[in-house]
């Protein structure tokens, strides 16, 4: 058996990388728009019930806007195959998921959707970093 990965495995690795990068750009756009909405009209968001994580929505808007813009930039860097961007993107996806968890009292369904997308991004990027395995 050859120790080189097959072309099929390489294609899967490339596909997962492109999928992760595309998802990161999409999540970044969603977060940036979410942040803008919270900055422009912070009264629109109402806390659902009693929740331990209560923060100023304008501040959270800035957090989401910055995370979103960073995620968009990282997604583009990944598409351009910048090696450093893969590890940084995993860290940003983790921070995005944590920020969405903290955002749960304001928009619970939306936060859960973004957390799920962040998990998919992390999975795709970790699979890329591990590289194709030979049997």
């Amino acid at each position: 058996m050859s120790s080189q990965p097959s072309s099929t495995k390489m294609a899967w690795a490339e596909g997962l990388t492109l999928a992760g990068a595309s998802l990161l750009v999409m999540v970044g756009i969603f977060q940036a728009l979410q942040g803008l909405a919270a900055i422009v009209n912070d009264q629109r968001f109402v806390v659902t019930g009693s929740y331990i994580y209560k923060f100023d929505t304008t501040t959270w808007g800035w957090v989401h806007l910055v995370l979103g813009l960073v995620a968009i930039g990282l997604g583009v860097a990944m598409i351009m195959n910048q090696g450093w961007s893969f590890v940084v993107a995993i860290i940003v996806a983790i921070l995005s998921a944590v920020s969405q968890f903290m955002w749960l009292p304001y928009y619970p369904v939306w936060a859960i959707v973004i957390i799920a997308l962040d998990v998919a991004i992390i999975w795709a990027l970790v699979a890329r970093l591990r590289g194709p395995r030979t049997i």
Side-chain angles (χ1 to χ4, degrees):
M1 291 220 127
S2 171
S3 64
Q4 294 287 53
S6 70
S7 61
T8 304
K9 289 182 181 181
M10 292 299 291
W12 272 99
E14 293 289 323
L16 283 175
T17 301
L18 188 56
S22 301
L23 280 173
L24 191 63
V25 170
M26 184 178 68
V27 166
I29 291 169
F30 289 162
Q31 275 206 318
L33 292 174
Q34 177 183 0
L36 279 175
I39 293 167
V40 171
N41 188 5
D42 66 344
Q43 300 302 315
R44 176 164 169 52
F45 298 98
V46 179
V47 177
T48 56
S50 175
Y51 202 74
I52 194 167
Y53 305 113
K54 289 185 182 179
F55 300 103
D56 179 52
T57 53
T58 303
T59 303
W60 272 116
W62 284 106
V63 168
H64 288 300
L65 179 62
V66 169
L67 269 174
L69 294 176
V70 169
I72 293 168
L74 282 170
V76 170
M78 288 170 48
I79 291 170
M80 295 173 57
N81 207 20
Q82 300 294 314
W84 58 269
S85 63
F86 297 99
V87 173
V88 178
I90 291 170
I91 293 167
V92 168
I94 291 169
L95 291 175
S96 171
V98 170
S99 74
Q100 290 299 326
F101 175 77
M102 303 293 273
W103 188 250
L104 275 171
Y106 303 99
Y107 250 52
V109 174
W110 182 255
I112 291 169
V113 168
I114 299 298
I115 290 169
L117 289 172
D118 285 331
V119 169
I121 291 166
I122 293 165
W123 176 80
L125 298 182
V126 168
R128 155 76 154 122
L129 287 178
R130 288 187 69 201
R133 299 283 184 216
T134 58
I135 299 176

